Amino acid sequence: MEGRVPPGQYVTLGFPVLSAGPTPHTPLDEWSFSIDPQEGESTQWSWPSFQELPTQEFVVDIHCVTKWSKLDTRWEGVMIDTLLERAGLDPSDPSVQGQFGVAYCDGGYTTNIPVNDLVGGKAFVAYRFDGAPLAPEHGGPARLVVPHLYFWKSAKWIRGLRLTPVDMPGFWESLGYHNYGDPWREQRYQGD
Ligand SMILES: Nc1nc2c(c(=O)[nH]1)N[C@H]1C(S)=C(S)[C@@H](COP(=O)(O)O)O[C@H]1N2
Ligand SMILES: [Mo]
């Protein structure tokens, strides 16, 4: 376990729920997911077409800024690389990697992440957890998971990813949380 738990964190076996507002309940027939590039048309998937995308299993450790870490969480979902490729963007292109992603969600939550931190298999949109559909309180129907950053970057109820040339703080980032949020460097708050 040593070397797996970032400084200041403790391991929990439970799965706490942390939400800044009520849990939205968007019916699957109204759900969609979009990649919105800097220029040009968005690419959008309905729930059935999203399920047809190549899906992988991910077993990852997650770290919440409120100091709990959970090891070996098991998710199924679609890599961000796959979503970008299907939207006509090359995830290995430095000019794509140099952009910023803003995840937006039902309920209005947003969070900003450099595209470089979303590609190369580092992040995915999950719709199953522990062998079952992702529970609404944990972000179902689908959530972003960016395991190497504090868990507030893992936007629940995600509906799309907007790419921007300039970095724009999201919900918690504009309320004093760290812009990047690396748990290994304890980047909890602005100035850390
Ligand atoms: N849409 C949305 N996503 C969110 C949040 C939120 O309030 N709304 N909270 C964030 C925070 S602070 C954390 S720690 C995790 C908590 O996820 P969990 O409730 O599944 O543990 O979701 C993140 N994603
Ligand atoms: Mo959090």
Side-chain angles (χ1 to χ4, degrees):
M1 195 125 59
E2 208 184 335
R4 279 185 74 175
V5 183
Q9 299 292 113
Y10 66 89
V11 173
T12 182
L13 296 178
F15 195 172
V17 172
L18 284 109
S19 304
T23 295
H25 291 276
T26 302
L28 291 182
D29 60 5
E30 289 169 27
W31 186 91
S32 61
F33 182 85
S34 302
I35 295 286
D36 308 323
Q38 270 183 44
E39 285 165 17
E41 296 286 298
S42 295
T43 299
Q44 199 174 73
W45 292 269
S46 64
W47 181 255
S49 62
F50 198 84
Q51 313 290 294
E52 285 166 17
L53 291 167
T55 297
Q56 281 173 247
E57 185 178 89
F58 302 86
V59 178
V60 295
D61 300 343
I62 55 178
H63 312 290
C64 176
V65 72
T66 63
K67 302 202 164 178
W68 56 267
S69 290
K70 190 169 171 58
L71 305 183
D72 291 326
T73 60
R74 188 162 61 91
W75 309 82
E76 290 154 71
V78 183
M79 278 202 304
I80 299 295
D81 303 76
T82 304
L83 296 166
L84 294 177
E85 278 164 11
R86 300 287 172 112
L89 296 159
D90 177 359
S92 67
D93 181 342
S95 75
V96 172
Q97 292 181 2
Q99 297 176 25
F100 297 89
V102 177
Y104 57 90
C105 306
D106 282 322
Y109 187 87
T110 58
T111 187
N112 56 312
I113 303 135
V115 171
N116 189 40
D117 286 87
L118 296 172
V119 299
K122 292 196 283 296
F124 53 93
V125 174
Y127 56 87
R128 292 176 68 80
F129 176 78
D130 233 357
L134 181 59
E137 63 269 26
H138 286 300
R143 80 180 295 167
L144 180 65
V145 181
V146 191
H148 71 289
L149 299 177
Y150 279 125
F151 206 37
W152 86 77
K153 298 286 186 181
S154 293
K156 304 198 278 190
W157 316 300
I158 192 169
R159 292 292 300 274
L161 186 67
R162 188 165 51 243
L163 303 187
T164 63
V166 285
D167 198 8
M168 301 274 285
F171 178 79
W172 284 122
E173 293 84 2
S174 59
L175 289 171
Y177 282 82
H178 198 276
N179 192 57
Y180 183 65
D182 179 353
W184 297 96
R185 290 187 279 167
E186 283 206 81
Q187 293 176 337
R188 300 175 189 274
Y189 307 105
Q190 262 168 46
D192 285 350

